Amino acid sequence: MKEDEKLSPWKHKIHEIIYEADTPMGKLFDIILFIIIIFSVILIMLESVKAIDAEYHEVLFVLEWIVTIFFTVEYIARIISIKKPSHYIFSFYGIIDFLSTIPLYISYIFAGSQVLLAVRAFRLLRVFRILKLARFLGEASQLKRALKASRAKITVFLFAVLIASVMMGTLMYLVEGDEAGFTSIPTSIYWTIVTLTTVGYGDIAPITPQGQAIATIIMLLGYGIIAVPTGMVTAEFSKQSKDSSSLKTSGSYVHINTQCCPTCSKEGHRDDAKHCYNCGSILNE
Amino acid sequence: MKEDEKLSPWKHKIHEIIYEADTPMGKLFDIILFIIIIFSVILIMLESVKAIDAEYHEVLFVLEWIVTIFFTVEYIARIISIKKPSHYIFSFYGIIDFLSTIPLYISYIFAGSQVLLAVRAFRLLRVFRILKLARFLGEASQLKRALKASRAKITVFLFAVLIASVMMGTLMYLVEGDEAGFTSIPTSIYWTIVTLTTVGYGDIAPITPQGQAIATIIMLLGYGIIAVPTGMVTAEFSKQSKDSSSLKTSGSYVHINTQCCPTCSKEGHRDDAKHCYNCGSILNE
Amino acid sequence: MKEDEKLSPWKHKIHEIIYEADTPMGKLFDIILFIIIIFSVILIMLESVKAIDAEYHEVLFVLEWIVTIFFTVEYIARIISIKKPSHYIFSFYGIIDFLSTIPLYISYIFAGSQVLLAVRAFRLLRVFRILKLARFLGEASQLKRALKASRAKITVFLFAVLIASVMMGTLMYLVEGDEAGFTSIPTSIYWTIVTLTTVGYGDIAPITPQGQAIATIIMLLGYGIIAVPTGMVTAEFSKQSKDSSSLKTSGSYVHINTQCCPTCSKEGHRDDAKHCYNCGSILNE
Amino acid sequence: MKEDEKLSPWKHKIHEIIYEADTPMGKLFDIILFIIIIFSVILIMLESVKAIDAEYHEVLFVLEWIVTIFFTVEYIARIISIKKPSHYIFSFYGIIDFLSTIPLYISYIFAGSQVLLAVRAFRLLRVFRILKLARFLGEASQLKRALKASRAKITVFLFAVLIASVMMGTLMYLVEGDEAGFTSIPTSIYWTIVTLTTVGYGDIAPITPQGQAIATIIMLLGYGIIAVPTGMVTAEFSKQSKDSSSLKTSGSYVHINTQCCPTCSKEGHRDDAKHCYNCGSILNE
């Protein structure tokens, strides 16, 4: 029960705004933040288009600095409004937030460090925090559970697919020559997966009759194999929808709010929770 | 109960023919209209083929005018045979009907306005009115309900796919150079979706080993991800077919006719309905 | 009960061998016939390969005549061993058998008539007669029933896909120019279906950003749409496997033999049947 | 009960290590072996990349000899530690192990025999032995049972797909000329399967309107056909997950260990088994 001392009122206020989404201010902050994240991602996209960058380089540069400063302020606010900053700093989101903010600063030291800006695309994952506001949470968790329940099956399946790819790829390398594009076994395996998943770019394609015959087998195999993950996930979904209809007090419908523990940053507390279910420290009312 | 005054007899007759499909005349009109719509769409297709347009330009032009005049007459008839014309004019179908009729007239004022003719493709949606005649209605509504019930799941899923595409696309832009076709992040994201959905045009394809390795992961991901929407829709269908077999008085089998309220244009009235379920005005017997 | 007079003994014998597959001779005949059909199809394939045809033209020509003579004998035997030859001659199989036999004869009159030989591929459908021998019949009929039950849904679905293709194809024609390959609306619709079904040849591919954006939407649509037929067929299969387990006397497990009525050629008689279920004439014991 | 004489203690020890995975030593051996197999496969891959082979030929050659010697020792150990060596030598794994070991030796006699090294990819199948250690066994066997139960349906389905491919391929050969790539019927059938499975390389693509129309039908067919295997496997999975929940003592959860009969090499003995379920000889405790 150590560390139960409350944060100072204004830090508490900031915590509530930044980390939670139950108050109107918190909701507003989350939505504004997400819009700025989308805006920053679009900025990076535009910069990558040569024609646009050539013409609007100045404007993009200024906008980039504005976004960076906003992210800097947000990052500092996140650190000071939490009891254990290290919990945030070394969390998945903490590292992404840091890598999204820093590139412009260090670009004066290391040329080319702007490449790191691409990390910002990961900040888009915050959309799931906003979605959490709605009933999407239940759906997402059902999705997650379905995938989790099929995990072992999926592993066996992926192993089988990979081994089949290695074997078929090696075979195709022996059968087809260099002129068809099968220049090495790794390339050949890449082609096998391109075919097995029915993507079929066509940059590499068999030209000998034997090669085309094997390719046909791989395609039919891939066509049949796709049934397996579909079947697994579907069976899981069907089971869950049955379970949830027979047992109405399913976990996915417990009322959860978006509060976030000020000590350990865990989320997913029940609406009536008084203590964090992870570290036991008192939650702000 | 205002506006309950009946339309004049001949307007009533036109209304019955144009908007409904229960009388032999109404059925005949719907089928003739649909044939003319298909004919008008084929006309536009043929005009777009240079070789055909060069040879038969005169014939196509005359046929185009005939179709336009028919559509004009139909459009006017629709307006005068309804109590509240604004309901039709600003409805989805009303706007499409208008845009399908007008291009030829304004092509004398604005050159190139014939491009609007393409809107006619949307008139093909009227086929669903004809299908409504048969038992297809129940099936279509089952389809719609299955999609509606899975809506929240589909949204979460689409967000996940889009964010994954942005992240993977950005990564591929950094890994692959310009010569492989990954000239900008938007192009790269486009390629990622082409790969994730297993379309795989091959106009852009990774050439470096690292790029091919990431592409392999994207493909396997796409291969697995396709299981999710399938699983969701299937589970929904299975549930519905179970529900409908245990509960035979399912909504989709209530007898509905193709009558259309002369006041508000709502459709889907019960066969024995006397009042419009939407605005309450009396339906023509 | 007219036409109940039996066939002469040796015609009866031929009928039993050719049309049925319950006697050892009948089974043998069916298997030999199928092998010759496969052989004849392979012959046509080899003839179409220029390199092989150039070298072995003589051999292939002789083999072709041998197959044709065998098919001629079989065709005549089929006609004389049935009470009502017209039933066979104008049946689906009768026409295919005729078209598979005639080309070589008329090739002396009309040059190029050998193209008709390709019809022989349809004779491969006879494999389903051989499969009928085994328990595959039940499975195939389950497949057929599942498809039949989903027929209305599949029709609605196909209409929706086709209309969406016409609309999207027209849109792409307007957005993309000639240089990307969208030379006419029909070509554009073809491309849309190539994309929607995730085939993606890449011979035509959008090059403008707007075109790529619309293509992305079409792909995601296609990715989602594939869930619908899968969901429908799966739900149907699940229902059937449930029905068949609760109701063991399912129709698909009634003992059926391969006897074929000597009068009207209908198949699918019960093993203990004495009269044809279609025309009522007496079946050979 | 002949051949029940125990192996000599040290041979018994080797048998336990090599063939079983219940003792710490056995587990360790299996994992080390699998790592070396993966390593040997990577070696072959690297050798196939021209640039790498040119630079590191010496190193790769030495590593190849080390792997070959390890495999030789393992192969000999497997033979001497089993009571009936012929059971191992002529088993699937025995032949693969032999073919994986021999190429380097005979490369001094027959040039080019190193091609056989590719057989090593098959040794990767041993991963399923390691997976057997965990609960993956149950999942894999469920997968296998689902496929087995759908076997008859899959056969009918594959026949239908192949016959449709032959017919459609022949048709396309007649409709499209040589310039589109449809140079012979076999090539045309290859293209049909490429299209039907939605792989779509694009190396061959129809260019005439008629060809594109037929291609459209093939694509929609393929799009619909994919629903069939998915539906079958899914229905099977759903049934199994239902069966296993109503009947908790399902066979897939019987405790099985990785012991392997020293006489006949059969695996999958119950944990408490005293006699081999296949040949009846006594199992090492």
Side-chain angles (χ1 to χ4, degrees):
Chain A
M1 293 279 162
K2 61 175 176 32
E3 299 199 68
D4 269 3
E5 72 276 13
K6 289 266 184 82
L7 286 163
S8 67
W10 67 272
K11 280 188 181 172
H12 174 185
K13 188 79 195 158
I14 292 174
H15 185 273
E16 207 171 80
I17 292 171
I18 294 183
Y19 284 96
E20 286 161 36
D22 298 316
T23 58
M25 284 292 284
K27 266 181 203 167
L28 189 70
F29 175 81
D30 267 10
I31 288 164
I32 288 174
L33 177 60
F34 188 61
I35 289 167
I36 292 172
I37 290 171
I38 288 179
F39 178 73
S40 78
V41 169
I42 291 171
L43 256 186
I44 299 167
M45 283 188 194
L46 293 179
E47 277 170 53
S48 78
V49 182
K50 274 95 199 168
I52 293 172
D53 192 46
E55 204 166 341
Y56 302 102
H57 189 77
E58 301 298 289
V59 184
L60 293 173
F61 186 73
V62 170
L63 289 172
E64 186 58 68
W65 263 113
I66 292 170
V67 167
T68 295
I69 286 164
F70 179 90
F71 281 2
T72 311
V73 171
E74 184 220 341
Y75 187 68
I76 292 167
R78 275 185 192 277
I79 288 174
I80 59 174
S81 70
I82 199 171
K83 281 184 204 149
K84 283 195 159 177
S86 63
H87 262 116
Y88 165 68
I89 292 170
F90 299 109
S91 71
F92 176 69
Y93 280 119
I95 291 166
I96 284 173
D97 290 357
F98 180 74
L99 291 177
S100 303
T101 312
I102 208 72
L104 217 54
Y105 296 115
I106 60 170
S107 69
Y108 292 99
I109 310 169
F110 307 105
S113 64
Q114 273 175 300
V115 151
L116 272 173
L117 283 174
V119 168
R120 271 187 201 162
F122 285 88
R123 291 209 77 182
L124 286 174
L125 291 171
R126 286 214 173 257
V127 73
F128 291 110
R129 241 192 92 77
I130 299 184
L131 289 182
K132 212 174 285 171
L133 301 171
R135 79 215 146 79
F136 293 89
L137 182 64
E139 304 293 354
S141 76
Q142 194 186 339
L143 222 76
K144 219 156 64 185
R145 252 181 309 137
L147 288 175
K148 210 168 184 176
S150 311
R151 209 179 34 197
K153 275 201 211 75
I154 287 170
T155 310
V156 171
F157 174 72
L158 271 184
F159 262 114
V161 167
L162 283 176
I163 290 174
S165 299
V166 170
M167 296 192 307
M168 287 305 208
T170 309
L171 197 63
M172 283 303 278
Y173 171 71
L174 298 176
V175 166
E176 289 282 332
D178 271 15
E179 74 250 68
F182 297 83
T183 50
S184 68
I185 293 179
T187 305
S188 216
I189 292 170
Y190 163 72
W191 171 87
T192 308
I193 291 177
V194 167
T195 300
L196 207 60
T197 55
T198 76
V199 170
Y201 288 127
D203 50 346
I204 308 166
I207 49 174
T208 64
Q210 316 87 281
Q212 294 186 339
I214 299 172
T216 298
I217 293 166
I218 297 175
M219 280 172 230
L220 288 176
L221 212 69
Y223 203 54
I225 278 177
I226 210 170
V228 177
T230 308
M232 292 184 309
V233 174
T234 304
E236 214 47 59
F237 272 122
S238 299
K239 213 167 109 188
Q240 284 190 12
S241 85
K242 214 171 300 155
D243 290 0
S244 75
S245 63
S246 65
L247 186 134
K248 268 295 177 222
T249 52
S250 155
S252 62
Y253 295 110
V254 157
H255 285 283
I256 281 166
N257 62 17
T258 63
Q259 246 187 317
C260 161
C261 170
T263 306
C264 72
S265 293
K266 272 280 172 186
E267 296 182 357
H269 302 288
R270 298 174 59 117
D271 216 4
D272 55 353
K274 289 204 173 53
H275 286 270
C276 170
Y277 69 87
N278 183 48
C279 68
S281 63
I282 291 170
L283 296 171
N284 307 125
E285 75 287 344
Chain B
M1 293 279 163
K2 59 174 174 41
E3 300 198 64
D4 269 3
E5 72 273 15
K6 288 264 183 87
L7 285 164
S8 67
W10 67 271
K11 281 189 180 172
H12 175 184
K13 189 78 195 158
I14 293 175
H15 184 273
E16 207 170 81
I17 292 171
I18 295 184
Y19 285 96
E20 287 163 36
D22 297 316
T23 57
M25 283 294 283
K27 265 183 202 163
L28 189 70
F29 175 81
D30 268 9
I31 288 164
I32 289 174
L33 178 59
F34 188 61
I35 289 168
I36 292 173
I37 290 171
I38 288 178
F39 178 73
S40 77
V41 169
I42 291 170
L43 256 187
I44 299 168
M45 284 187 192
L46 293 179
E47 277 170 55
S48 79
V49 182
K50 273 94 199 167
I52 293 172
D53 191 47
E55 204 166 340
Y56 303 102
H57 189 77
E58 301 298 288
V59 184
L60 292 173
F61 186 74
V62 170
L63 289 171
E64 187 58 68
W65 263 112
I66 292 169
V67 167
T68 295
I69 287 163
F70 179 90
F71 280 3
T72 310
V73 171
E74 183 219 341
Y75 187 68
I76 292 167
R78 275 184 193 276
I79 289 175
I80 59 172
S81 70
I82 200 171
K83 281 185 204 148
K84 283 194 161 178
S86 62
H87 262 116
Y88 165 67
I89 292 171
F90 299 109
S91 72
F92 176 69
Y93 281 119
I95 292 166
I96 284 173
D97 290 356
F98 179 74
L99 291 176
S100 303
T101 312
I102 208 72
L104 217 55
Y105 296 114
I106 59 170
S107 68
Y108 291 99
I109 310 170
F110 308 106
S113 64
Q114 273 176 301
V115 151
L116 272 172
L117 283 173
V119 168
R120 273 188 200 160
F122 285 88
R123 291 209 77 182
L124 287 173
L125 291 172
R126 287 214 172 256
V127 73
F128 290 110
R129 241 191 92 77
I130 298 183
L131 290 182
K132 211 174 285 171
L133 301 171
R135 78 214 145 79
F136 293 89
L137 182 66
E139 304 294 353
S141 76
Q142 194 185 339
L143 221 76
K144 218 155 68 184
R145 252 181 311 137
L147 289 175
K148 210 167 183 178
S150 311
R151 207 179 36 197
K153 276 202 209 75
I154 287 171
T155 310
V156 170
F157 173 71
L158 270 184
F159 262 113
V161 167
L162 282 176
I163 290 175
S165 299
V166 171
M167 296 193 307
M168 287 306 208
T170 309
L171 197 63
M172 283 303 278
Y173 171 71
L174 297 177
V175 167
E176 288 283 333
D178 271 15
E179 75 249 69
F182 296 83
T183 50
S184 67
I185 293 179
T187 305
S188 215
I189 291 170
Y190 164 72
W191 172 87
T192 307
I193 290 177
V194 167
T195 301
L196 206 61
T197 56
T198 77
V199 170
Y201 288 128
D203 51 345
I204 309 167
I207 48 175
T208 64
Q210 316 89 280
Q212 293 186 341
I214 299 172
T216 299
I217 293 166
I218 297 175
M219 279 171 231
L220 289 176
L221 212 69
Y223 202 54
I225 279 178
I226 210 169
V228 177
T230 308
M232 293 185 309
V233 175
T234 305
E236 213 47 59
F237 272 121
S238 300
K239 214 168 108 188
Q240 285 190 11
S241 85
K242 215 171 299 153
D243 290 0
S244 76
S245 63
S246 65
L247 185 134
K248 269 292 179 224
T249 53
S250 155
S252 62
Y253 296 112
V254 157
H255 286 283
I256 281 166
N257 64 16
T258 63
Q259 245 187 317
C260 160
C261 170
T263 307
C264 72
S265 291
K266 272 279 172 188
E267 295 181 358
H269 302 288
R270 299 174 59 120
D271 217 4
D272 54 353
K274 289 202 173 57
H275 285 270
C276 171
Y277 69 87
N278 184 47
C279 68
S281 63
I282 291 169
L283 296 172
N284 306 126
E285 73 287 346
Chain C
M1 291 281 162
K2 59 176 172 40
E3 298 197 66
D4 269 4
E5 71 273 15
K6 288 265 182 84
L7 285 164
S8 66
W10 66 271
K11 281 189 181 171
H12 175 185
K13 189 79 196 156
I14 292 175
H15 184 274
E16 206 172 81
I17 292 171
I18 295 185
Y19 285 95
E20 286 162 37
D22 298 315
T23 57
M25 284 293 283
K27 267 182 202 165
L28 191 69
F29 175 80
D30 269 8
I31 288 163
I32 288 174
L33 177 59
F34 189 61
I35 290 168
I36 294 173
I37 290 171
I38 288 178
F39 177 74
S40 78
V41 169
I42 291 170
L43 255 185
I44 299 168
M45 284 188 193
L46 293 179
E47 277 170 54
S48 78
V49 182
K50 275 95 200 166
I52 293 172
D53 191 48
E55 204 166 340
Y56 301 103
H57 189 77
E58 301 296 290
V59 184
L60 292 173
F61 186 74
V62 170
L63 290 172
E64 186 59 66
W65 264 112
I66 292 169
V67 167
T68 295
I69 288 163
F70 179 90
F71 281 2
T72 310
V73 171
E74 185 218 341
Y75 187 69
I76 293 166
R78 275 184 194 276
I79 288 175
I80 59 173
S81 70
I82 198 170
K83 281 184 206 150
K84 283 194 162 178
S86 62
H87 263 116
Y88 165 67
I89 292 172
F90 299 109
S91 71
F92 177 68
Y93 281 120
I95 292 165
I96 285 173
D97 290 357
F98 179 75
L99 292 176
S100 303
T101 311
I102 209 72
L104 217 54
Y105 296 114
I106 61 169
S107 69
Y108 292 99
I109 309 170
F110 308 104
S113 65
Q114 273 176 302
V115 151
L116 272 173
L117 282 173
V119 168
R120 272 190 200 159
F122 285 87
R123 290 209 79 183
L124 287 174
L125 291 171
R126 286 214 174 258
V127 73
F128 291 111
R129 242 192 92 77
I130 299 183
L131 289 181
K132 214 173 284 174
L133 299 171
R135 79 211 144 82
F136 292 90
L137 181 64
E139 304 293 354
S141 76
Q142 194 184 341
L143 223 75
K144 219 156 65 185
R145 252 182 310 138
L147 288 175
K148 211 168 182 177
S150 312
R151 207 180 34 194
K153 277 201 208 74
I154 287 170
T155 310
V156 171
F157 173 72
L158 270 183
F159 262 114
V161 167
L162 282 176
I163 289 175
S165 300
V166 171
M167 296 193 306
M168 287 305 208
T170 309
L171 197 63
M172 283 303 278
Y173 172 70
L174 297 177
V175 167
E176 289 281 333
D178 270 15
E179 75 249 69
F182 296 82
T183 51
S184 68
I185 293 179
T187 306
S188 215
I189 292 170
Y190 164 71
W191 171 86
T192 307
I193 291 176
V194 167
T195 301
L196 206 61
T197 55
T198 77
V199 170
Y201 289 127
D203 50 347
I204 308 167
I207 48 175
T208 63
Q210 316 89 280
Q212 293 185 341
I214 298 172
T216 299
I217 293 166
I218 296 175
M219 280 171 229
L220 289 176
L221 212 69
Y223 202 54
I225 278 177
I226 210 169
V228 176
T230 308
M232 293 184 309
V233 175
T234 305
E236 213 48 57
F237 271 122
S238 301
K239 215 167 109 189
Q240 284 190 12
S241 84
K242 215 171 299 154
D243 290 359
S244 77
S245 63
S246 64
L247 186 133
K248 269 294 178 221
T249 53
S250 154
S252 62
Y253 295 111
V254 158
H255 285 286
I256 281 166
N257 63 16
T258 64
Q259 244 187 319
C260 159
C261 170
T263 306
C264 72
S265 292
K266 273 279 171 187
E267 294 183 357
H269 301 287
R270 300 177 59 119
D271 218 3
D272 54 354
K274 290 202 172 56
H275 286 270
C276 170
Y277 68 88
N278 184 46
C279 68
S281 63
I282 292 169
L283 296 171
N284 306 126
E285 73 283 349
Chain D
M1 292 277 163
K2 60 175 176 35
E3 299 199 67
D4 270 1
E5 72 275 14
K6 288 267 185 81
L7 286 162
S8 67
W10 67 271
K11 281 189 179 171
H12 175 184
K13 188 80 196 155
I14 292 174
H15 185 273
E16 206 171 81
I17 293 171
I18 294 184
Y19 285 96
E20 287 162 36
D22 297 316
T23 57
M25 284 292 284
K27 266 182 200 163
L28 191 69
F29 175 81
D30 267 10
I31 288 163
I32 288 174
L33 177 60
F34 188 61
I35 289 167
I36 293 172
I37 290 171
I38 288 178
F39 178 74
S40 78
V41 169
I42 290 170
L43 255 186
I44 298 168
M45 283 188 195
L46 293 179
E47 277 170 53
S48 78
V49 182
K50 275 96 201 166
I52 293 172
D53 191 47
E55 204 167 340
Y56 302 102
H57 189 77
E58 300 297 290
V59 184
L60 293 172
F61 186 73
V62 170
L63 290 171
E64 187 58 67
W65 264 113
I66 292 170
V67 167
T68 294
I69 287 164
F70 178 91
F71 281 2
T72 311
V73 171
E74 184 219 341
Y75 187 69
I76 292 166
R78 274 184 193 276
I79 288 175
I80 59 173
S81 71
I82 199 170
K83 280 184 205 150
K84 282 195 160 176
S86 63
H87 263 117
Y88 165 69
I89 293 172
F90 299 109
S91 71
F92 176 69
Y93 281 119
I95 292 166
I96 284 172
D97 291 356
F98 179 74
L99 291 177
S100 304
T101 312
I102 208 72
L104 217 54
Y105 296 115
I106 60 170
S107 69
Y108 291 100
I109 309 169
F110 307 105
S113 65
Q114 272 175 301
V115 152
L116 271 174
L117 282 174
V119 169
R120 272 189 200 160
F122 285 86
R123 291 209 77 183
L124 286 175
L125 290 171
R126 287 215 172 256
V127 72
F128 291 110
R129 242 191 91 78
I130 299 184
L131 289 182
K132 212 174 284 174
L133 301 171
R135 78 213 147 82
F136 293 89
L137 182 63
E139 305 293 354
S141 76
Q142 193 184 340
L143 222 75
K144 218 156 67 185
R145 251 181 312 138
L147 288 175
K148 210 167 182 177
S150 311
R151 208 180 35 195
K153 276 200 208 75
I154 287 171
T155 310
V156 171
F157 173 72
L158 270 183
F159 263 113
V161 167
L162 282 176
I163 289 175
S165 300
V166 171
M167 295 192 307
M168 288 304 209
T170 309
L171 198 63
M172 283 303 279
Y173 171 70
L174 298 177
V175 167
E176 289 281 332
D178 271 16
E179 74 249 70
F182 296 83
T183 50
S184 68
I185 293 179
T187 306
S188 214
I189 292 169
Y190 164 70
W191 171 86
T192 307
I193 290 176
V194 167
T195 300
L196 207 60
T197 56
T198 77
V199 171
Y201 288 128
D203 51 346
I204 308 167
I207 48 175
T208 63
Q210 316 87 280
Q212 294 186 340
I214 299 172
T216 299
I217 293 166
I218 298 175
M219 281 171 227
L220 289 175
L221 212 70
Y223 202 54
I225 279 176
I226 209 169
V228 177
T230 308
M232 292 184 310
V233 176
T234 304
E236 213 47 58
F237 271 123
S238 300
K239 214 168 109 189
Q240 284 191 11
S241 84
K242 215 170 301 156
D243 290 0
S244 76
S245 63
S246 65
L247 187 133
K248 269 295 177 222
T249 53
S250 155
S252 61
Y253 296 110
V254 158
H255 286 284
I256 281 165
N257 63 16
T258 64
Q259 246 186 317
C260 160
C261 170
T263 307
C264 73
S265 293
K266 272 278 173 186
E267 296 183 357
H269 301 287
R270 299 175 59 118
D271 217 3
D272 55 353
K274 289 202 172 57
H275 286 270
C276 171
Y277 68 89
N278 184 46
C279 68
S281 64
I282 291 170
L283 296 171
N284 306 126
E285 74 285 345

